[in-house]
Amino acid sequence: QMWAHYADAFAGICIGYKIKYLPSEIGWRSLDYTEDKAKERALVEMLYIKSADWAYEQEIRFLRFSDGPQLVPLHPSADSKGIVGHISEIILGSRFDHSKNWPILRSVVKSINEEYAKFSLPAVTLMRATQRKGEKSDALEIDIDENLSKDAC
């Protein structure tokens, strides 16, 4: 269901990350899912609580607690300030419009891979999600598409 809610009804992408280091001012934890609506309203708890209806998401949130709201950089080098990590994979939804979106995504992935080569990091793996045969639900199978990955290099 996450593809339906967050990835434009299976037409979008999902980005996977490998995180090596989080600065101490960035908090994270898996969410708690509750039926208790009163607890859901508590300000601090709101950051890490969601209705039990969404438990299938298994969501994790990263929040920065100093210097006010801001973007936190993600960089592959331990010498940087911010999160040390990199994009490891991109999964194309089962309804991804290849003819419309592939040229842009290919260019972005190629640029990322060129940057990662400077840090001896593996290239971003591209995968395609396909709906499982015979299932009407939004259950998907994820397959590594070697041709996509080669085309983006």
Side-chain angles (χ1 to χ4, degrees), residues 4-20:
H5 291 292
Y6 301 116
D8 192 21
F10 306 96
I13 64 172
C14 176
I15 302 173
Y17 299 90
K18 294 283 184 195
I19 304 297
K20 294 182 179 181

Side-chain angles (χ1 to χ4, degrees), residues 101-114:
N101 298 319
W102 178 245
I104 296 165
L105 182 59
R106 179 184 181 275
S107 176
V108 169
V109 171
K110 186 174 182 173
S111 176
I112 290 170
N113 286 341
E114 288 170 358

